[in-house]
Amino acid sequence: MKQQTIGAQFSLEGKGLHTGLNIQLTFLPADENTGIRIKRIDLPEQPCYEATADLVTATQRGTVLQKGEWKVSTIEHALAALAATNVDNCLIEV
């Protein structure tokens, strides 16, 4: 099956919907079989995990992915946009 990534990196920034914190997301092309991965570059160890359903820990007011102390919230719109454009592989830095 042919896989797709984005053509070039791009960034978005603004206030977090529920936290009010200033957030920057950078979407980067990724190699085949990478999947959609989210990397927390604000944390010292910069953990990076594939965005999969087994990491969903909450769905009230937004989807939360969490593994240990690592957490990202309200990611459903970004993931839906990637799915709608048939992107299989992308690294999202938060």
Side-chain angles (χ1 to χ4, degrees):
M1 180 166 85
K2 185 175 179 181
Q3 297 183 13
Q4 295 190 124
T5 190
I6 58 176
Q9 84 173 48
F10 64 94
S11 296
L12 304 169
E13 61 181 275
K15 290 206 178 279
L17 179 63
H18 299 294
T19 64
L21 297 173
N22 290 322
I23 303 294
Q24 180 175 7
L25 301 175
T26 301
F27 294 74
L28 300 124
D31 293 332
E32 188 174 354
N33 297 317
T34 298
I36 307 298
R37 299 184 70 79
I38 301 174
K39 183 177 185 179
R40 288 282 307 268
I41 62 171
D42 61 320
L43 299 176
E45 60 279 352
Q46 296 192 355
C48 182
Y49 296 104
E50 191 169 1
T52 57
D54 63 318
L55 296 182
V56 174
T57 59
T59 56
Q60 302 82 358
R61 300 178 63 198
T63 302
V64 177
L65 300 183
Q66 183 171 0
K67 186 169 184 175
E69 296 297 314
W70 176 90
K71 183 188 325 187
V72 290
S73 302
T74 320
I75 49 91
E76 61 273 10
H77 297 106
L79 296 180
L82 292 172
T85 55
N86 296 313
V87 172
D88 303 292
N89 303 295
C90 184
L91 174 62
I92 305 169
E93 293 182 341
V94 180

